[in-house]
């Protein structure tokens, strides 16, 4: 195809295509800047004391992420972090004026409970975890006054410095500490007390917040809360959860200086693996109204060794801090701030916003749109009503030209055609992604987002250009086929010549599709999980109406055949299209980047899953961003020459992408290296191995191929094949349960254990504490003592109890729902964490004479010299989580 051989109509179509592409490129650039907080300028260290300063907050992050060696449970750095946090709070306290009462306390929490996590029921026991609190109130406040809780955690996951999760959100040295300092130094006396909670055990399944909610004397005074989290290193600071009720989101919408909230996010967030402290405050152990706010960008560093201070995006914390202080002032000034007892006695008919959800969204962080659910029920049904009224209006406008039924039929064909385009816009990218995998590596989740968002223009454009052209091809294909079957040579400005093929029928058909999506809760339940996501298609419907009016007016001035007419339609849609691009960016981050943390599906399906998912999401967001312009602009774009161009362009981009290596330091491959020791009780080591796992569809075969030093060290060889290797059994990963369920276990390799007893004088051991007790009903109670030996950096101990367990001394005596392995007896999982120098004393009860089997796994963060050397052999594009796991089995 040569451009100089194009017909005049095709040449006009290409000019229009490139104009539209330029417009979308500009909108993508704007959305990129917003999502990366390019429009926010961090305030310097010497900024006025009554202003939030990102630079001051980052200095605290630097201390804890770089100067303190590790803030993981079991490591000395966590204690050092707590000491640093408390000292900083004491310094803030000393500067408080006479109008403020500032209290600082450090508490140790312990307890046990059961919970569902990643679809598995587990029990948790914990002790001696540190919480640090600061309470700021006016001199006239009472201890029983309703207060606002600001929560963040300061512990980090295994193997991570935690600059993003959660050094950037920890109050003592980052966002919340700077907010606390600002409250004191500004001289503002809050109308209601403020409690800053810095908890030290979130990564161990929200233990710090559980300890506060079950044990602290102030727990019932909390009237609202803000949980500050991170699933990345900056960017947009999204309200991902809000509730119970709509009051918290209403406060946020009115107060936030840089609003970043989507009601649809709280419908998508539950499908993402993991949880936050929000769950403890608003759901499991309280009904406190609150907000869950997370950094959204930089998820490929999340929970990795690359989560460092330099990864934090400038402007992110400045926007977060300014939002937090504004929200804090709004919550403390609200008349709806109530203690727990007052909330229970509220008249819900008069306080609907305490129980009713709302629809809300921000427009590029500039302002918020908020309306209650009852209003949404009316607004979201208006487009559908207009769609059904439009045929009647057209029939009445030109009576006798076309029968009413023919107009309805034309509109129905328009709906079908646009629906087909949207579906094909998803199907074609998926199809091409599968074809691509026959010629290339499957792409990692991190690299996909790296290609989408990393500020390297070649990669940024290449990522979009892989799937968007073929999605656009799918959107245009039904129109092209329709024009070939029944060509239309124009439409009179006074009357419809062929309703079934006119732009008017196509416009109302597309409008009808979006109207149905807006009003149909069943459709939203699948795609946006409820009414909360209907605002996007509602905005599209309203914008299309405005565009249609602009188009009709331009037709009167320039004629239907002028390319200026569709441009007026597009221009009228620009605010909506810009928001669609912005919203699609957030949606892609949630569904691609965060879904990438779900782990890998085993072959053969896992080989295709990542690419197919990204292709499908790209198709969806392309339809969302481009779909509204197709009914009018399709007349100039749906040409065979343009479709051939899109198809050829797609093939070139896919061929080019197949040559890319899928990992880098900016998008590392995650590898788990577990040095496993098997003991028979006491200090007898019976075996040792290296167990390896990955968290995407590229197995260890891929790693060994590109890291022959690792293969040689493990005696695997570059021709290693999983089919011939010893598979690492699932029970070997007990120390990571239930997180182990989202990793792909690849292989087991021999390892030496001859020096382990030189490092440890005692190994973990479980034994009976005293003789068993037999009750009249036949149940048998076994009294046990768990010693963790001389291990120094224990993260967690996990027990898998198999057999006729009826009760135990944890979680109020009730075991969790059992795991039911195929062909085996039920098993019950218990995770223990806390001070390792003390022994755990507990009991188990069996309601049958059968033995209770206990599998014990203890995760120690220290590794021997040989394992450290093995870890150093992995390439720089990988992130290796290395630790030791001590496994032993007992019967009682």
């Amino acid at each position: 195809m040569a451009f100089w051989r194009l017909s005049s109509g095709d040449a006009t179509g290409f000019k229009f295509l490139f104009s539209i592409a330029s417009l979308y490129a500009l909108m993508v650039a704007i959305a990129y800047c917003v999502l990366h907080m390019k429009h926010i300028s961090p305030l310097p260290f010497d900024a006025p004391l009554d202003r939030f300063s990102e630079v001051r907050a980052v200095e605290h992050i630097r201390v804890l992420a770089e100067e303190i060696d590790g803030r993981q449970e079991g490591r000395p750095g966590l204690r050092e972090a707590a000491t640093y946090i408390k000292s900083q709070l004491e310094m803030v306290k000393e500067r408080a004026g006479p109008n403020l009462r500032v209290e600082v306390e450090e508490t140790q929490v312990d307890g046990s409970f059961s919970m569902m996590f990643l679809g598995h029921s587990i029990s948790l026991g914990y002790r001696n975890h540190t919480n640090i609190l600061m309470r700021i109130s006016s001199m006239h406040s009472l201890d029983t006054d309703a207060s606002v809780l600001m929560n963040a955690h300061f512990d980090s996951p295994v193997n991570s410095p935690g600059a993003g999760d959660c050094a950037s959100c920890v109050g003592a040295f980052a966002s919340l500490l700077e907010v606390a300092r600002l409250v004191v130094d500004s001289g503002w006396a809050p109308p209601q007390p403020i409690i800053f909670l810095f908890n030290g055990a979130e990564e161990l399944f929200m233990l710090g917040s559980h300890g506060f909610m079950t044990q602290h004397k102030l727990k019932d005074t909390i009237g609202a809360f803000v949980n500050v989290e991170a699933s990345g290193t900056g960017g947009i600071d999204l309200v991902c959860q809000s509730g119970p009720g709509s009051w918290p989101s209403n406060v946020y919408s009115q107060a936030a200086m840089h609003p970043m909230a989507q009601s649809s996010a709280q419908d998508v967030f539950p499908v993402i693996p993991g949880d936050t402290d929000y769950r403890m405050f608003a759901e499991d152990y309280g009904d406190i109204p609150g907000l869950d706010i997370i950094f959204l960008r930089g998820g490929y560093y999340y929970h990795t060794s690359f989560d460092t201070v330099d990864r934090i995006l400038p402007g992110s914390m400045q926007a977060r801090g300014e939002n937090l202080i504004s929200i804090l002032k709004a919550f403390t000034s609200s008349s709806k701030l109530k203690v727990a007892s007052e909330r229970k006695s509220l008249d819900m008919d008069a306080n609907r916003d305490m129980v009713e959800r709302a629809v809300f969204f921000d427009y590029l962080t500039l302002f918020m749109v908020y309306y209650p659910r009852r209003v949404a029920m009316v607004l979201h049904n208006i487009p559908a009503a207009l769609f059904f009224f439009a045929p009647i209006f057209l029939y009445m406008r030109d009576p006798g030209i076309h029968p009413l039924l023919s107009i309805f039929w034309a509109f129905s064909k328009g709906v079908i055609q646009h629906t087909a385009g949207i579906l094909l816009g998803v199907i074609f990218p998926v199809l091409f992604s599968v074809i691509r995998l026959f010629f290339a590596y499957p792409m990692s989740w991190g690299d996909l987002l790296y290609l989408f968002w990393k500020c390297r223009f070649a990669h940024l454009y290449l990522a979009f250009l892989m799937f968007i052209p073929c999605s656009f091809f799918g959107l245009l294909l039904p129109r092209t086929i329709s024009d070939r079957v029944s060509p239309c040579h124009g439409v009179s400005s006074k009357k419809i010549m062929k309703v079934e093929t006119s732009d008017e029928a196509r416009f109302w058909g597309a409008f009808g599709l979006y109207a149905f999506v807006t009003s149909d809760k069943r459709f939203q339940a699948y795609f946006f999980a409820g009414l909360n996501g209907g605002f996007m298609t509602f905005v599209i419907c309203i914008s299309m109406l405005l565009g249609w009016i602009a188009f009709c007016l331009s037709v009167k001035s320039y004629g239907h055949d002028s390319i200026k007419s569709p441009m007026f339609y597009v221009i009228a849609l620009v605010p909506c299209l810009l928001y669609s691009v912005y919203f699609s960016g957030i949606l892609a981050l949630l569904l691609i980047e965060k879904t990438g943390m779900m782990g890998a599906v085993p072959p053969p399906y896992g080989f295709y899953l990542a690419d197919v998912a990204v292709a499908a999401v790209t198709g969806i967001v392309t339809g969302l961003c481009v779909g509204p312009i197709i009914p009018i602009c399709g007349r100039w774009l749906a040409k065979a020459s343009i479709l051939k161009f899109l198809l050829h362009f797609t093939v070139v981009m896919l061929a080019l992408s197949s040559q890319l290596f899928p990992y880098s330091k900016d998008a590392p491959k995650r590898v788990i290296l577990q040095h496993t020791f098997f003991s028979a009780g006491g200090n007898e080591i019976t075996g040792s191995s290296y167990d390896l796992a990955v968290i995407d569809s590229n197995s260890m075969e891929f790693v060994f191929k590109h890291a022959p030093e690792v293969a040689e060290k493990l005696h695997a060889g570059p021709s290693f094949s999983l089919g011939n290797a010893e598979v690492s059994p699932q029970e070997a990963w007990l120390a990571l349960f239930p997180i182990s369920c989202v990793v792909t276990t690849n292989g087991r390799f021999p390892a030496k254990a001859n020096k382990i007893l030189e490092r440890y004088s005692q190994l973990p051991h479980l034994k009976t504490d005293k003789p068993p007790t037999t009750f009249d009903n036949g149940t048998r109670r076994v009294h046990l003592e768990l010693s963790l030996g001389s291990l120094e950096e224990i993260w967690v101990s996990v027990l898998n109890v198999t057999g006729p367990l009826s009760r135990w001394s944890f979680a109020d005596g009730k075991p969790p729902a059992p795991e039911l392995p195929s062909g085996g007896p039920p098993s019950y999982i218990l995770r223990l964490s806390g001070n390792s120098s003390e022994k755990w004393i507990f009991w188990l009860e069996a309601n049958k004479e059968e033995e209770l089997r206990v599998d014990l796994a203890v995760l120690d963060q220290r590794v021997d010299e040989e394992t450290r050397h093995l870890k150093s052999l992995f390439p720089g594009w990988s992130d290796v989580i290395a630790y030791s796991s001590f496994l032993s089995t007992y019967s009682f």
Side-chain angles (χ1 to χ4, degrees):
M1 178 186 67
F3 286 99
W4 56 84
R5 295 178 183 173
L6 294 175
S7 66
S8 59
D10 288 348
T12 302
F14 272 100
K15 291 179 182 179
F16 189 55
L17 174 65
F18 294 141
S19 299
I20 293 294
S22 300
L23 175 63
Y24 275 95
L26 177 61
M27 292 189 290
V28 168
I30 294 173
Y32 177 91
C33 291
V34 173
L35 290 174
H36 286 74
M37 297 289 107
K38 300 289 186 181
H39 59 299
I40 305 295
S41 299
L43 292 186
F45 190 87
D46 58 353
L49 294 180
D50 62 347
R51 297 289 305 277
F52 184 97
S53 166
E54 175 176 310
V55 178
R56 283 193 289 255
V58 170
E59 282 304 307
H60 293 294
I61 298 176
R62 199 174 304 278
V63 170
L64 289 216
E66 295 182 351
E67 297 183 13
I68 293 180
D69 184 21
R71 301 191 313 280
Q72 293 82 13
E73 170 58 34
R75 300 190 65 188
L78 188 61
R79 178 66 257 168
E80 295 175 30
T83 301
Y84 177 83
I85 291 170
K86 188 175 181 182
S87 68
Q88 293 296 312
L89 293 177
E90 293 288 358
M91 292 172 59
V92 173
K93 177 181 177 180
E94 292 175 1
R95 297 201 302 271
N99 61 332
L100 293 178
R101 179 189 297 134
V102 180
E103 305 162 83
V104 178
E105 69 171 276
E106 178 179 332
T107 62
Q108 303 295 314
V109 295
D110 54 75
S112 64
F113 64 103
S114 296
M115 69 182 301
M116 288 291 296
F117 192 81
L118 298 180
H120 298 270
S121 183
I122 57 175
S123 289
L124 303 101
Y126 64 95
R127 62 188 181 192
N128 300 330
H129 289 308
T130 301
N131 282 346
I132 302 172
L133 285 84
M134 169 184 270
R135 187 176 187 267
I136 303 176
S137 61
S138 67
M139 294 300 296
H140 306 292
S141 68
L142 303 175
D143 290 344
T144 56
D145 286 349
S147 55
V148 178
L149 175 71
M150 307 287 283
N151 175 76
H153 69 92
F154 60 90
D155 63 321
S156 290
V158 174
N159 204 58
S160 172
D165 183 33
C166 193
S168 60
C169 64
V170 137
F173 67 100
S175 305
L176 295 195
L177 176 59
E178 180 65 3
V179 170
R181 181 210 58 76
L182 195 158
V183 171
V184 171
D185 288 346
S186 66
W188 173 58
Q192 298 294 129
I194 304 168
I195 297 174
F196 292 91
L197 171 61
F198 313 107
N199 81 76
E202 192 270 352
E203 298 293 353
L204 289 162
F205 299 175
M206 296 80 72
L207 302 183
S209 55
H210 176 270
F212 176 84
M213 288 300 297
T214 56
Q215 301 166 35
H216 202 277
K217 63 182 180 180
L218 296 176
K219 65 180 186 298
D220 291 329
T221 69
I222 308 300
F225 76 91
V226 178
N227 181 55
V228 187
E229 253 292 356
S231 64
T233 54
I236 190 169
D237 198 23
L238 185 69
V239 176
C240 62
Q241 297 184 93
S242 172
S246 59
W247 174 58
S249 54
N250 192 15
V251 170
Y252 181 89
S253 67
Q254 296 176 4
M257 293 183 63
H258 312 284
M260 294 168 271
Q262 307 283 340
S263 54
S264 57
Q266 63 188 12
D267 296 322
V268 176
F269 188 78
V271 306
I272 299 171
D275 249 317
T276 71
D277 288 322
Y278 174 91
R279 170 177 176 174
M280 293 295 167
F281 301 128
E283 297 171 357
D284 291 2
Y285 292 91
D287 61 345
I288 306 173
L291 302 168
D292 197 16
I293 304 177
I294 64 170
F295 277 152
L296 201 60
R297 284 288 297 111
Y300 27 76
Y301 314 124
Y302 178 72
H303 285 189
T304 72
S305 58
F306 297 94
D307 186 10
T308 54
V309 176
D310 59 296
R311 300 288 189 183
I312 296 176
L313 297 177
S316 302
M317 292 187 62
Q318 187 66 43
R320 163 176 279 185
E322 292 175 359
N323 277 349
L324 288 178
I325 188 63
S326 299
I327 297 166
L328 185 59
K329 290 182 177 181
F331 271 131
T332 55
S333 301
S334 176
S335 61
K336 296 185 177 182
L337 189 71
K338 306 291 184 182
V339 299
S341 58
E342 292 175 329
R343 288 197 303 273
K344 293 178 181 178
S345 61
L346 283 177
D347 181 359
M348 292 306 171
D349 290 335
N351 295 273
R352 288 187 176 182
D353 57 352
M354 300 300 284
V355 293
E356 185 182 55
R357 299 180 72 177
V359 175
F360 54 89
F361 59 94
D362 70 281
Y363 189 85
L364 280 69
T365 76
L366 298 176
F367 59 87
M368 283 276 291
V369 176
Y370 170 95
Y371 47 95
R373 185 183 181 90
R374 59 184 179 276
V375 175
M377 295 295 291
V378 176
L379 286 180
H380 290 189
N381 283 292
I382 290 177
L386 289 175
F387 173 74
F388 286 111
F389 176 75
I392 300 175
F393 172 78
L394 293 177
Y395 176 75
M396 295 176 63
R397 186 188 67 182
D398 298 307
I401 300 296
H402 293 284
L404 182 60
L405 288 179
S406 70
I407 299 177
F408 271 109
W409 173 239
F411 277 34
S412 300
K413 288 177 64 177
V415 172
I416 295 171
Q417 181 174 304
H418 198 71
T419 302
I422 296 293
L423 293 177
L424 290 175
V426 176
I427 291 172
F428 277 103
V430 169
L431 180 62
F432 275 98
S433 72
V434 174
I435 294 174
R436 193 190 75 86
L437 288 176
F438 286 103
F439 304 99
Y441 305 118
M443 298 187 72
S444 68
W445 291 97
D447 192 56
L448 287 163
L449 261 294
Y450 170 71
L451 291 175
F452 267 102
W453 296 109
K454 184 67 178 172
C455 190
R456 294 179 182 175
F457 292 107
H459 285 173
L460 176 65
Y461 282 107
L462 180 60
F464 279 107
L465 296 178
M466 278 195 299
F467 295 131
I468 290 179
C470 57
S471 178
F472 195 29
F473 176 92
L475 288 170
L476 293 175
L477 187 59
R479 173 70 183 251
T480 306
I481 295 174
S482 175
D483 288 348
R484 289 290 184 91
V485 173
S486 53
C488 177
H489 302 288
V491 180
S492 168
S493 59
K494 295 183 178 181
K495 64 180 180 178
I496 303 175
M497 296 180 64
K498 291 189 176 183
V499 177
E500 64 274 12
T501 58
S502 70
D503 285 339
E504 189 156 16
R506 289 191 175 97
F507 168 82
W508 285 107
F511 180 90
L513 174 63
Y514 295 122
F516 293 150
V517 173
T518 303
S519 60
D520 193 331
K521 301 183 186 64
R522 291 171 298 178
F523 185 92
Q524 293 172 31
Y526 286 105
F527 289 91
F528 294 101
L531 187 67
N532 297 312
F535 69 85
M536 186 65 251
T537 48
F538 174 74
V539 170
I540 290 175
C541 288
I542 300 303
S543 300
M544 286 182 68
L545 285 177
L546 297 176
W548 177 249
I549 294 173
F551 175 72
C552 292
L553 293 176
S554 64
V555 166
K556 292 182 178 180
S557 300
Y558 302 104
H560 191 275
D561 293 328
S562 172
I563 199 170
K564 294 181 180 180
S565 298
M567 289 304 299
F568 275 94
Y569 176 80
V570 173
I571 291 172
L573 259 69
V574 163
C576 171
L577 299 178
L578 177 58
Y579 180 75
S580 296
V581 172
Y582 169 71
F583 178 82
S584 296
I586 296 175
L587 190 64
L589 288 172
L590 280 172
L591 293 182
I592 298 176
E593 184 173 334
K594 302 304 174 286
T595 306
M597 300 170 193
M598 290 182 178
V601 175
Y605 303 108
F607 185 77
Y608 300 96
L609 180 61
D611 291 64
V612 167
V614 171
V617 172
T618 304
I620 291 171
V621 299
T622 302
L624 198 63
C625 297
V626 182
I629 72 169
I630 295 298
I632 301 301
C633 301
R635 183 166 179 259
W636 284 265
L637 297 174
K639 299 180 182 297
S641 57
I642 291 180
L643 264 62
K644 290 178 182 178
F645 170 77
L646 294 173
L647 197 58
H648 293 164
F649 195 90
T650 297
V651 172
V652 172
M653 291 299 106
L654 291 178
L656 182 59
S657 71
S658 67
Q659 304 306 310
L660 291 175
F661 189 73
Y663 304 104
S664 70
K665 289 185 178 181
D666 294 305
K669 179 177 180 61
R670 303 178 188 229
V671 179
I672 300 176
L673 170 60
Q674 175 178 284
H675 192 178
T676 310
F677 298 95
F678 304 92
S679 69
N683 282 7
E684 181 184 354
I685 297 293
T686 59
S688 175
S689 68
Y690 286 124
D691 292 284
L692 280 82
V694 296
I695 312 183
D696 63 23
S697 55
N698 277 328
S699 70
M700 288 307 301
E701 292 180 3
F702 177 92
V703 177
F704 290 161
K705 177 181 178 181
H706 295 278
E709 301 88 353
V710 178
E712 181 180 354
K713 181 67 175 178
L714 294 173
H715 306 289
S719 60
F720 169 81
S721 172
L722 285 177
N724 301 325
E726 181 182 358
V727 177
S728 179
Q730 190 66 39
E731 53 267 23
W733 301 92
L734 179 60
L736 289 182
F737 190 89
I739 300 173
S740 56
C741 298
V742 300
V743 303
T744 298
T745 57
N746 283 160
R748 167 168 288 179
F749 306 88
K752 298 178 182 179
N754 52 352
K755 295 184 179 181
I756 187 66
L757 295 180
E758 297 178 8
R759 183 157 47 117
Y760 300 118
S761 59
Q762 295 290 330
L763 297 180
H765 179 61
L766 182 64
K767 65 179 183 179
T768 55
D769 178 49
K770 58 183 179 181
T773 303
T774 303
F775 297 98
D776 294 339
N777 60 0
T779 58
R780 174 172 52 93
R781 176 175 292 182
V782 181
H783 303 271
L784 301 176
E785 173 188 285
L786 172 60
S787 171
L788 299 176
S790 56
L791 275 61
E792 299 175 1
E793 296 186 357
I794 296 176
W795 167 258
V796 70
S797 303
V798 182
L799 286 77
N800 179 18
V801 182
T802 304
L805 181 69
S806 57
R807 286 172 50 82
W808 59 13
S809 53
F810 300 97
D812 298 323
K814 185 178 180 181
E819 294 289 307
L820 299 173
S822 57
S827 61
Y828 306 85
I829 305 297
L830 170 68
R831 290 172 54 99
L832 300 176
S833 63
N835 193 327
S836 60
S837 63
E838 302 177 20
K839 297 179 180 179
W840 288 91
I841 307 298
F842 59 97
W843 51 262
L844 308 175
E845 277 188 13
N847 55 12
K848 295 180 181 179
E849 295 183 358
E850 300 173 20
E851 286 187 336
L852 289 173
R853 168 176 164 162
V854 181
D855 297 309
L856 171 65
V858 180
L859 192 157
D860 184 13
Q861 297 166 84
R862 294 192 64 182
V863 296
D864 59 22
E865 187 63 34
E866 188 172 349
T867 305
R868 281 196 292 271
H869 175 65
L870 175 60
K871 178 181 177 180
S872 69
L873 297 178
F874 281 83
W877 44 261
S878 63
D879 178 73
V880 183
I881 301 174
Y883 61 88
S884 301
S885 179
F886 294 84
L887 299 178
S888 53
T889 300
Y890 309 86
S891 296
F892 303 100

